[in-house]
Amino acid sequence: MSSVFTTHPPTFSKSEAEKICASIFGLSGKAQDLYSDRDQNFLFQSDSDQKYVLKISNPEERREILDLQNEATLFIHSKDSDLGVPLQIGEIEEFEKDGQIYFIRLIEYLRGRFLKDVDMSDSDHEKLGEFLGKLSQSLAGFSHPAADREFEWDVRTTNLIKSRLDYLGSESEKKTVTHFLNEYKKNILPISNELRMAVIHNDGNDHNVLINDKGKTTGIIDFGDIVYSYQVGEPAVCMTYVGLEKDDPFTPMVKVFKGYHSCFPLKDSELKSAIYLTCVRLCISVTMSAWRMNLFPENEYLSVSQKPAWDLLRKLEKEGLKEWSKRLIDFVNC
């Protein structure tokens, strides 16, 4: 079955994007390509020097998912207007090209540097966790029917990871992923009913988190992976990315976790489960990339983060998750 992950993203030119902004949103200016995994994004700078993001959705994207993103950001903004989340400007519009209908949105541009471009101190990582905790506070009570879905990047969808094991490059890689799936089955499934469920952003990665010049987290973009899942999945996902390419991944991961817990207190079962969910997220990353590289071999970006992900998985496999879980709990509770 076709999905946003198996369908090529849109291929509009910059001049077409500029015409869309003029005809639909009444804006004149210049468009610049921005990377997007499954949609197409443009940075649009108007003649009056205002910046926006023009988002052209994948042909397989459902409108209710876009409604979910819009309503979630409005809900967050209504609870805490100081949290930087990109609000939609106007309505979701439709645009036809070559017989295909695309959903078009104009989104606020948020200033800041991406986490990937900033050298973060320990205290900066803790502030990042605090930001995510405040984000969870602001999403508390939010619901939307489209959020409760089977979604590839949800840490609960271990069945999808299993279905893509054969795309991995070696038996060693399959063994590593299977090890973490077994850890999840043994340690998380028995306590899954103790883990709170909520709508979470679900993608606090280093391309989505915005940092100011003082190292403070000021915003988060791209709500495309928003889903109803384990509440503790919010910090666990971010821990996945801050641990990559680090000689000592424990320190930035635990700092994020401690900061989150200080703003959004987690239950004992949630504290215990975080590192297991982090590993599942890593397993999703490597299997999704292997699967999609088979579909889109020309997309070099799909392989960019794979070596760091495998390095961290093998480090965690060697050291053991029970020990990591205990160390995390001891640190955040001290």
Side-chain angles (χ1 to χ4, degrees):
M1 187 175 74
S2 296
S3 74
V4 295
F5 298 107
T6 61
T7 302
H8 279 281
T11 56
F12 286 71
S13 67
K14 288 185 283 188
S15 62
E16 287 175 317
E18 290 164 3
K19 290 176 182 177
I20 287 172
C21 285
S23 62
I24 295 180
F25 300 107
L27 295 171
S28 60
K30 295 294 182 181
Q32 176 182 333
D33 285 305
L34 294 174
Y35 174 78
S36 178
D37 175 45
R38 54 189 189 261
D39 302 322
Q40 189 176 20
N41 295 335
F42 294 92
L43 173 62
F44 184 83
Q45 185 159 351
S46 71
D47 291 341
S48 61
D49 209 30
Q50 292 293 311
K51 290 183 178 180
Y52 307 91
V53 175
L54 178 69
K55 299 183 75 72
I56 305 175
S57 295
N58 187 287
E60 291 296 323
E61 188 63 275
R62 294 180 289 142
R63 181 168 186 136
E64 56 262 36
I65 300 300
L66 305 182
D67 289 331
L68 162 63
Q69 296 175 45
N70 181 42
E71 292 185 25
T73 53
L74 287 172
F75 191 88
I76 293 166
H77 188 71
S78 72
K79 291 290 192 70
D80 188 347
S81 59
D82 290 333
L83 286 179
V85 293
L87 299 178
Q88 179 179 300
I89 299 170
E91 302 297 324
I92 300 170
E93 303 287 350
E94 294 184 3
F95 186 86
E96 183 177 350
K97 178 184 178 182
D98 299 331
Q100 176 67 57
I101 299 295
Y102 297 90
F103 293 123
I104 309 287
R105 294 174 293 158
L106 195 67
I107 306 292
E108 287 182 342
Y109 172 80
L110 298 186
R111 297 186 181 278
R113 299 169 66 194
F114 288 118
L115 175 60
K116 68 182 181 67
D117 299 322
V118 178
D119 290 326
M120 300 277 279
S121 68
D122 289 350
S123 62
D124 293 337
H125 279 116
E126 194 160 339
K127 291 173 187 174
L128 167 55
E130 292 170 1
F131 176 91
L132 292 174
K134 292 175 183 177
L135 183 69
S136 290
Q137 288 177 349
S138 297
L139 269 172
F142 174 75
S143 64
H144 191 287
D148 193 2
R149 53 176 171 153
E150 183 179 66
F151 183 62
E152 279 82 347
W153 288 99
D154 179 2
V155 292
R156 296 179 301 157
T157 55
T158 53
N159 60 311
L160 295 178
I161 301 175
K162 292 177 185 177
S163 72
R164 289 164 187 152
L165 285 174
D166 287 341
Y167 291 98
L168 296 176
S170 67
E171 289 302 316
S172 173
E173 291 180 349
K174 292 179 187 178
K175 183 179 177 181
T176 295
V177 171
T178 300
H179 165 76
F180 289 111
L181 292 177
N182 289 337
E183 288 288 293
Y184 177 90
K185 181 178 180 180
K186 181 171 63 175
N187 293 282
I188 301 305
L189 289 185
I191 62 170
S192 59
N193 63 335
E194 300 175 28
L195 305 181
R196 287 173 292 179
M197 300 289 293
V199 176
I200 61 174
H201 176 277
N202 192 44
D203 201 16
N205 71 48
D206 50 356
H207 289 78
N208 289 339
V209 173
L210 296 173
I211 310 293
N212 69 13
D213 292 336
K214 297 180 180 179
K216 180 181 179 181
T217 303
T218 58
I220 191 166
I221 63 171
D222 193 354
F223 280 69
D225 287 0
I226 190 170
V227 69
Y228 181 72
S229 186
Y230 298 136
Q231 180 75 70
V232 68
E234 196 74 280
V237 167
C238 186
M239 290 162 62
T240 303
Y241 296 98
V242 299
L244 297 178
E245 298 183 285
K246 302 290 196 307
D247 292 334
D248 171 27
F250 179 82
T251 298
M253 291 167 73
V254 76
K255 288 293 184 177
V256 166
F257 199 38
K258 183 177 180 68
Y260 184 90
H261 182 56
S262 70
C263 287
F264 195 98
L266 296 165
K267 300 193 300 182
D268 289 347
S269 56
E270 292 170 327
L271 293 172
K272 174 186 175 182
S273 69
I275 191 61
Y276 296 93
L277 301 185
T278 291
C279 291
V280 169
R281 178 71 174 211
L282 284 165
C283 290
I284 294 174
S285 180
V286 295
T287 52
M288 279 285 284
S289 289
W291 172 56
R292 297 191 71 219
M293 284 170 62
N294 181 69
L295 294 172
F296 308 117
E298 74 286 355
N299 189 343
E300 297 179 359
Y301 181 84
L302 293 173
S303 64
V304 167
S305 64
Q306 292 319 291
K307 184 182 184 304
W310 280 116
D311 288 346
L312 183 52
L313 275 171
R314 289 180 175 125
K315 182 178 183 63
L316 289 163
E317 181 181 22
K318 182 179 179 180
E319 295 189 6
L321 296 190
K322 284 189 176 179
E323 176 61 25
W324 267 66
S325 181
K326 182 179 183 302
R327 289 173 66 198
L328 286 169
I329 293 170
D330 289 346
F331 192 96
V332 300
N333 284 331
C334 68

